[in-house]
């Protein structure tokens, strides 16, 4: 057996281990067989650039003689699988992302930046936090290089101020708050002079949005849709769980079997964003939907995550799929679009607003939603129109006079 045949067998064997559907494997086998026949006719026993080009050029339908996009895509996928296997030893289903990420140019800056990222991972920072801090710290170091500040010791208050002035030209004021937070963490890591920390902008505005919660009619339509329509048990369980608890999508996707206590009827998780423990009651409706999914629909898998993808290879879902599921159900329930979109975050707003309308205290709402700062729920206060109307001041007793508007 030549090298090309061995590579193809290894790729297909790996896909079989990942429980890829047999119909998909047969489709790939069809493409690989074409590649082997072409290689044999050309007298080639390994994957070369000449063989790749000839295989990709073979894109005509065998019956009509016209260009076939299906044939071209299949051949392109077969080549991609083999290239990834040869170069990266990658045999998975998803294509790895080759991102062009900016890096500091100076060796000293690059070394300290890599050490900073390693420290963030050691501290258990979330993926989003690490990416945000990586981006802003890299931008600052690149700005320092362009400003001829070639050593960490030469960074001054003026460098920090000039950086934020330049950043303000393309960043919103609310985004500068995140930038200042990330740069503050970076400065503390490199142990700069305290004066640089004071040079960072303070009292920046927080990004907030007034979100109208679900009306009683809209909420009723969603529950009716979940009860009547033929949806997957997984989608029903996920939507019901978020609607009744306000959990973040990333925490729903990461929910595992040992997080659910069926005897005490509680859900215990460590939140992905805050790393804080959160205990919530397992409501009957939520518990029943999750149990039905586990017993009747969940694919057979060794994964400890509760919610899995519906197609092989069966892996834990991500927060992106959570958003897609919730958004699809809300749109099909004819819920009008809000300014924050129709997803798990919108339902999180709805849960907080609903508790507030029932007179639940801010501290309790903050605890249920898993906030570390009780003031984080202040944005939900703006959604209560009756409370806003009660805050207006009467104009009685204020002297007023009529004036004629003149052109």
């Amino acid at each position: 057996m030549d090298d090309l045949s061995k590579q193809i067998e290894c790729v297909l064997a790996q896909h079989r281990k990942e429980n890829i559907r047999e119909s998909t494997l047969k489709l790939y086998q069809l493409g690989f067989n074409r590649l082997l026949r072409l290689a044999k006719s050309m007298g080639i026993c390994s994957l070369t650039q000449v063989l790749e080009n000839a295989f990709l050029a073979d894109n005509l339908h065998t019956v009509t003689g016209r260009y076939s996009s299906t044939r071209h895509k299949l051949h392109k996928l077969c080549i991609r699988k083999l290239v990834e296997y040869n170069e990266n030893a990658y045999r998975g289903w998803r294509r790895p992302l080759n991102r062009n990420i900016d890096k500091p140019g100076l060796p000293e800056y690059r070394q300290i930046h890599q050490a900073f990222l390693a420290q963030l991972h050691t501290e258990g920072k979330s993926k989003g936090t690490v990416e945000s801090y990586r981006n802003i710290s890299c931008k600052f170091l690149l700005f320092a290089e362009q400003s001829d500040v070639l050593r960490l010791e030469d960074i001054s208050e003026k460098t920090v101020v000039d950086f934020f002035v330049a950043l303000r030209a393309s960043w919103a004021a609310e985004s500068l708050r995140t930038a200042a937070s990330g740069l503050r963490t970076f400065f503390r890591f490199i142990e700069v002079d305290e004066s640089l920390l004071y040079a960072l902008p303070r009292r920046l505005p927080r990004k907030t949005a007034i979100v109208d919660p679900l009306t009683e009619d809209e909420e009723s339509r969603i529950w009716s849709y979940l009860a009547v329509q033929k949806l997957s048990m997984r989608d029903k369980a996920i939507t019901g769980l978020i609607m009744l608890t306000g959990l973040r999508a990333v925490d729903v996707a990461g929910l595992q079997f040992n997080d659910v206590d069926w005897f005490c009827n509680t859900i215990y998780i460590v939140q992905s964003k805050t790393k804080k423990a959160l205990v919530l009651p397992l409501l009957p409706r939520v518990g029943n939907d999750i149990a039905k999914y586990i017993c009747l629909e969940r694919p057979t898998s060794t994964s400890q995550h509760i919610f899995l993808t519906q197609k092989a290879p069966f892996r834990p879902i991500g927060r992106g799929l959570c958003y897609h599921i919730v958004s699809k159900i809300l749109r099909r329930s004819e819920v009008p679009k809000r300014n924050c979109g129709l997803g798990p975050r919108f339902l999180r707003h709805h849960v907080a607003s609903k508790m507030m309308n029932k007179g639940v205290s801010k501290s309790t709402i903050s605890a249920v939603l898993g906030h570390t700062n009780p003031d984080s729920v202040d944005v939900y206060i703006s959604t209560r129109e009756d409370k806003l109307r009660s805050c207006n001041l009467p104009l009685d007793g204020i002297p007023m006079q009529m004036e004629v508007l003149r052109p």
Side-chain angles (χ1 to χ4, degrees), residues 18-210:
E18 295 179 349
N19 296 322
I20 300 296
R21 289 184 177 181
E22 192 62 31
S23 58
T24 303
L25 288 174
K26 288 182 179 179
L27 184 63
Y28 272 87
Q29 185 69 66
L30 175 64
F32 285 133
N33 287 341
R34 293 174 186 167
L35 179 61
L36 289 173
R37 288 196 298 268
L38 179 61
K40 184 177 180 179
S41 66
M42 298 175 65
I44 300 176
C45 60
S46 62
L47 188 65
T48 63
Q49 190 63 49
V50 175
L51 180 60
E52 288 183 27
N53 295 337
F55 189 56
L56 294 176
D58 181 16
N59 52 27
L60 301 182
H61 197 281
T62 55
V63 177
T64 63
R66 296 180 179 179
Y67 171 77
S68 172
S69 61
T70 303
R71 187 182 182 93
H72 177 72
K73 290 179 181 177
L74 176 59
H75 290 189
K76 190 175 180 179
L77 284 172
C78 290
I79 293 295
R80 195 192 81 191
K81 294 291 182 184
L82 291 173
V83 170
E84 290 168 352
Y85 177 80
N86 292 333
E87 295 182 354
N88 307 318
Y90 174 77
R91 298 179 296 239
W93 185 245
R94 294 186 178 181
R95 184 176 184 175
L97 298 177
N98 296 321
R99 302 171 56 194
N100 295 322
I101 299 178
D102 292 334
K103 296 180 180 179
L106 294 176
E108 180 185 2
Y109 284 178
R110 182 174 297 182
Q111 182 178 2
I112 197 66
H113 190 250
Q114 292 175 349
F116 175 58
L117 297 181
Q119 179 64 26
L120 293 177
H121 287 292
T122 302
E123 293 176 357
K125 299 294 185 183
S126 66
K127 183 179 179 181
T129 300
V130 172
E131 175 61 21
S132 175
Y133 288 5
R134 180 209 64 78
N135 180 44
I136 192 61
S137 58
C138 179
K139 285 183 180 296
F140 177 77
L141 293 176
L142 290 174
F143 178 83
E145 292 179 21
Q146 296 170 1
S147 303
D148 293 329
V149 180
L150 306 182
R151 297 187 309 167
L152 291 174
E153 297 80 5
D154 297 336
I155 298 176
S156 63
E157 296 92 330
K158 184 179 183 301
T159 308
V160 178
V161 173
D162 291 344
F163 172 70
F164 275 92
V165 170
L167 208 62
R168 184 66 182 87
S170 56
W171 284 41
E174 295 83 359
S175 300
L176 293 178
R177 183 185 183 93
T178 304
S181 175
L183 211 52
R184 185 177 296 108
T185 303
F186 177 65
F187 284 168
R188 286 172 177 165
F189 172 76
I190 61 178
E191 299 180 348
V192 297
D193 189 83
E194 286 291 327
S195 60
L196 294 186
L197 294 176
Y198 288 111
L200 293 171
R202 297 175 180 273
R203 300 184 181 278
L204 292 168
R206 183 187 296 271
K207 187 176 181 179
T208 57
I210 298 178

Side-chain angles (χ1 to χ4, degrees), residues 27 42 59 63 121 159 236 274 290 296 308 320 362 386 394:
L27 184 63
M42 298 175 65
N59 52 27
V63 177
H121 287 292
T159 308
K236 289 183 180 180
T274 63
I290 294 177
L296 303 177
L308 304 179
K362 279 177 54 176
D386 57 333

Side-chain angles (χ1 to χ4, degrees), residues 296-307:
L296 303 177
E297 186 181 272
R298 185 180 184 273
T300 302
S301 173
T302 58
S303 174
Q304 291 300 306
H305 287 77
I306 293 179
F307 299 113

